[in-house]
Amino acid sequence: MSKAFLAQVIQETLETTGVAANRAATDVIDAIVKELKKEGGFTLPSFGTFTVKKTKARKALNPRTGEPVKVKAGKTVRFKASPSLKKAV
């Protein structure tokens, strides 16, 4: 799924222009990102839950050279599908 796909669905459903649909898709994505930053999670009923998880600093290997590399601690987004989504798929 891409932003273009979301914009197309919005455009067809609301019978609006492509520019307005693209703006709406952008606003939805921005709202989700803002909520993830603010609350650390976001739930779409009947779809699933997005949560922000902290990752620890660790050592990894550069696949090209095989040299050890330090990876900084950070954050990542995890997704857990809802039971209704799992059943539908």
Side-chain angles (χ1 to χ4, degrees):
M1 183 185 305
S2 64
K3 187 173 102 175
F5 175 77
L6 288 175
Q8 180 183 0
V9 171
I10 292 170
Q11 182 179 3
E12 292 171 0
T13 303
L14 298 178
E15 298 176 358
T16 186
T17 65
V19 173
N22 191 18
R23 187 177 308 139
T26 300
D27 290 345
V28 168
I29 292 169
D30 289 345
I32 291 171
V33 171
K34 185 178 178 182
E35 188 69 14
L36 284 171
K37 285 182 178 180
K38 180 180 168 188
E39 298 294 328
F42 181 78
T43 301
L44 286 171
S46 301
F47 187 72
T49 303
F50 296 89
T51 55
V52 177
K53 297 286 184 179
K54 292 182 181 180
T55 58
K56 296 180 181 180
R58 64 188 189 282
K59 292 181 183 178
L61 292 177
N62 181 333
R64 183 171 288 174
T65 63
E67 294 179 27
V69 178
K70 291 182 181 178
V71 179
K72 296 179 183 177
K75 295 179 183 178
T76 188
V77 177
R78 304 289 173 127
F79 176 73
K80 182 178 179 185
S82 72
S84 59
L85 177 62
K86 289 180 184 179
K87 188 176 181 180
V89 175

